[in-house]
């Protein structure tokens, strides 16, 4: 089960219960997860050490800063980190593709997401990340 | 929001263009449930344009509050719509046109009026998506006869306070009744 050992994930969702479930699930798989209910605080944390993270997983519709805005901030600091968005709205994936293609979001998951599903999605992203040697774990520069 | 402020807001639903700035989605939920419970049995049409909650979630909370969602939906009295789909979807409906059509329905079917609760946070979804223009264009007239049109523009405080002070002031001044400011 511990496929995630060594990978660091920044997890953002304004719903504390969702954050808790996702965090627990990912930690069971061995990932190091830093979770934030505030996207502003999450970005501040990311800014402090942008090379530290392999993946950012964020909700889209949050007050104060949308997931797209968070992704823009993250992308400015690290061009290679993987980005995954989660939303309860189908339209958000289309909006992302149409209006924010430069973000290069790897995947948009539709809520509700079963914990196994998010773990599989994260694994997919990080395995493809490893194969393309783009993660910070692989020692690449941003 | 205090219970008194919420009651006041519900009473003032017959105002023309009201503003709600909420700190928590729970407050917004409380507002739409209270307005639904007051307006729908009173032969009014209610439109809820949601942002943080899906239309299904809104319907769930309305049912929890005792609103007969299926009945009012079937009779064309209750509409619950994702505001991003409404404003920016692949087939966006001109909201003002939509409201005008409902005004006609009001007159045709003898309804008392239309209330639209619009989560304006959708305008932050695409950044600089014409929020001010929209707020300035919304009608402030009545539906004609004894019918009324009431708009309640709702903002999460976390988004409203992202606007520069001049824009906040301009938007606030466009609304007749304000809560949570």
């Amino acid at each position: 089960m511990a496929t995630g050992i060594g990978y660091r994930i920044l997890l953002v969702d304004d719903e504390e219960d969702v954050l808790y479930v996702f965090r627990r699930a990912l930690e069971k798989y061995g990932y190091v997860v830093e979770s934030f209910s505030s996207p502003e605080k999450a970005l501040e944390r990311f800014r402090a050490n942008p090379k530290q993270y392999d993946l950012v997983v964020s909700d889209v519709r949050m007050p104060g800063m949308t997931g797209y805005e968070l992704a823009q901030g993250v992308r400015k600091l690290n061009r290679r980190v993987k980005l995954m968005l989660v939303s309860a709205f189908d339209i958000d994936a289309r909006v992302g593709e149409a209006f924010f293609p430069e973000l290069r979001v790897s995947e948009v998951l539709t809520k509700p997401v079963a914990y196994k599903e998010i773990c599989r999605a994260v694994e997919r992203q990080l395995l493809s990340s490893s194969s393309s040697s783009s993660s910070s774990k692989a020692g690449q520069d941003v | 929001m205090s219970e008194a402020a919420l009651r006041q807001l519900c009473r003032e639903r017959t105002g023309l263009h009201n503003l709600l700035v909420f700190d928590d989605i729970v407050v917004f939920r409380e507002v739409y449930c209270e307005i639904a419970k007051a307006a729908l049995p009173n032969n009014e049409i209610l439109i809820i344009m949601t942002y943080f909650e899906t239309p299904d979630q809104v319907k769930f909370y309305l049912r929890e509050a005792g609103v007969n969602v299926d009945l009012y939906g079937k009779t064309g009295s209750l509409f619950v719509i994702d505001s991003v789909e409404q404003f920016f979807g692949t087939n966006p409906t001109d909201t003002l046109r939509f409201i005008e059509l409902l005004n006609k329905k009001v007159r045709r079917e003898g309804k008392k009026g239309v209330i639209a609760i619009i989560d304006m946070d959708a305008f932050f979804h695409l950044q600089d998506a014409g929020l001010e223009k929209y707020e300035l264009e919304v009608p402030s007239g009545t539906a004609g006869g004894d019918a009324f049109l009431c708009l309640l523009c709702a903002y999460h405080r976390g988004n409203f306070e992202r606007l520069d002070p001049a824009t906040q002031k301009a938007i606030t001044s466009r609304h007749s009744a304000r809560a949570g400011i």
Side-chain angles (χ1 to χ4, degrees), chain B:
Chain B
M1 176 185 273
S2 70
E3 197 183 326
L6 180 60
R7 276 203 302 271
Q8 178 70 12
L9 189 73
C10 293
R11 268 201 301 277
E12 288 181 0
R13 70 182 193 278
T14 53
L16 300 177
H17 188 187
N18 298 338
L19 174 66
L20 169 69
V21 179
F22 59 94
D23 291 293
D24 194 304
I25 187 67
V26 174
V27 174
F28 182 62
R29 193 179 296 153
E30 197 179 348
V31 168
Y32 68 66
C33 286
E34 288 302 315
I35 290 179
K37 284 194 287 183
L40 292 170
N42 194 39
N43 199 28
E44 298 166 22
I45 293 174
L46 175 63
I47 309 163
I48 302 171
M49 291 187 204
T50 174
Y51 177 72
F52 293 109
E53 294 175 322
T54 63
D56 283 345
Q57 285 172 316
V58 169
K59 287 175 189 170
F60 171 82
Y61 289 115
L62 287 171
R63 285 191 187 99
E64 289 274 294
V67 174
N68 192 334
V69 170
D70 298 328
L71 171 70
Y72 291 119
K74 272 182 198 161
T75 55
S77 298
L78 175 65
F79 300 83
V80 185
I81 306 163
D82 172 21
S83 55
V84 173
E85 284 280 5
Q86 173 73 19
F87 292 119
F88 312 112
T90 43
N91 293 304
T93 312
D94 181 326
T95 303
L96 303 183
R97 172 84 182 125
F98 180 53
I99 289 170
E100 179 50 37
L101 289 174
L102 288 175
N103 275 335
K104 284 183 184 164
K105 179 181 165 78
V106 162
R107 288 190 287 270
R108 196 173 58 239
E109 297 180 11
K111 297 276 187 182
K112 288 188 180 170
V114 180
I115 302 167
I117 303 172
I118 306 172
D119 192 333
M120 302 297 286
D121 291 299
F123 282 90
F124 295 85
H125 204 61
L126 295 179
Q127 304 162 22
D128 190 25
L131 172 64
E132 266 188 279
K133 184 172 177 285
Y134 180 85
E135 283 280 29
L136 292 173
E137 280 180 354
V138 295
S140 53
T142 63
D146 295 326
F148 64 83
L149 166 64
C150 172
L151 298 179
L152 175 61
C153 298
Y155 294 79
H156 192 287
R157 188 178 299 282
N159 282 332
F160 190 75
E161 292 183 348
R162 295 165 72 182
L163 301 167
D164 65 74
T167 306
Q168 286 185 33
K169 194 175 170 187
I171 287 175
T172 304
S173 68
R174 281 290 296 169
H175 297 83
S176 43
R178 299 153 201 136
I181 299 286

Side-chain angles (χ1 to χ4, degrees), chain A residues 1 4 9 11 20-33 55 57 115 118-120 122-123:
Chain A
M1 174 175 278
I9 298 170
L11 181 65
Y20 176 79
V21 171
F22 284 180
R23 182 182 179 135
R24 285 292 300 270
L26 292 168
E27 282 177 344
K28 271 190 182 175
Y29 278 71
Y31 297 106
V32 178
V33 183
L55 175 69
V57 181
Y115 82 90
I118 194 155
C119 291
R120 275 198 297 268
V122 163
E123 193 174 12

